[in-house]
Amino acid sequence: MLDEGLSGRRERILDMLTLAVRQHPGAAGVPLTPETRLLEAGVVDSAALLDVILDVEAACGLSFDPLLLDLEGGLTLGMVADAFLLDADAEAG
């Protein structure tokens, strides 16, 4: 279970990701939740996803670690947020 600080940080990253994803045409009319499968739903393509990740890295000052992703079940908004959080925890520890 996430502690309150980690949970709040995850929410902030999810908010930033959502705002960045909403800038792309594929996101129009698609409800975005942490479970939204970004590529499969056509919300973003791989190039747009890279733009989103870079935008959020610049906005929050955290690094994104793609090695923390498990792509077997599809890439969700929550998985992207967690790759920021897990990387931040590794840097802090």
Side-chain angles (χ1 to χ4, degrees), residues 1-86:
M1 184 170 176
L2 296 175
D3 65 36
E4 189 172 330
L6 187 57
S7 177
R9 192 167 36 163
R10 185 177 196 262
E11 288 303 315
R12 284 192 303 276
I13 292 171
L14 281 168
D15 288 346
M16 286 187 262
L17 284 168
T18 300
L19 287 173
V21 167
R22 285 272 174 231
Q23 303 301 311
H24 297 275
V30 177
L32 294 176
T33 69
E35 293 78 29
T36 302
R37 293 182 175 197
L38 299 171
L39 300 173
E40 293 88 341
V43 175
V44 293
D45 60 17
S46 57
L49 180 60
L50 180 58
D51 289 340
V52 166
I53 290 167
L54 293 174
D55 288 348
V56 173
E57 276 186 329
C60 70
L62 295 175
S63 296
F64 174 81
D65 187 348
L67 298 177
L68 297 174
L69 296 177
D70 177 11
L71 302 177
E72 291 294 317
L75 184 63
T76 67
L77 196 60
M79 291 169 65
V80 175
D82 291 342
F84 279 100
L85 290 175
L86 292 171

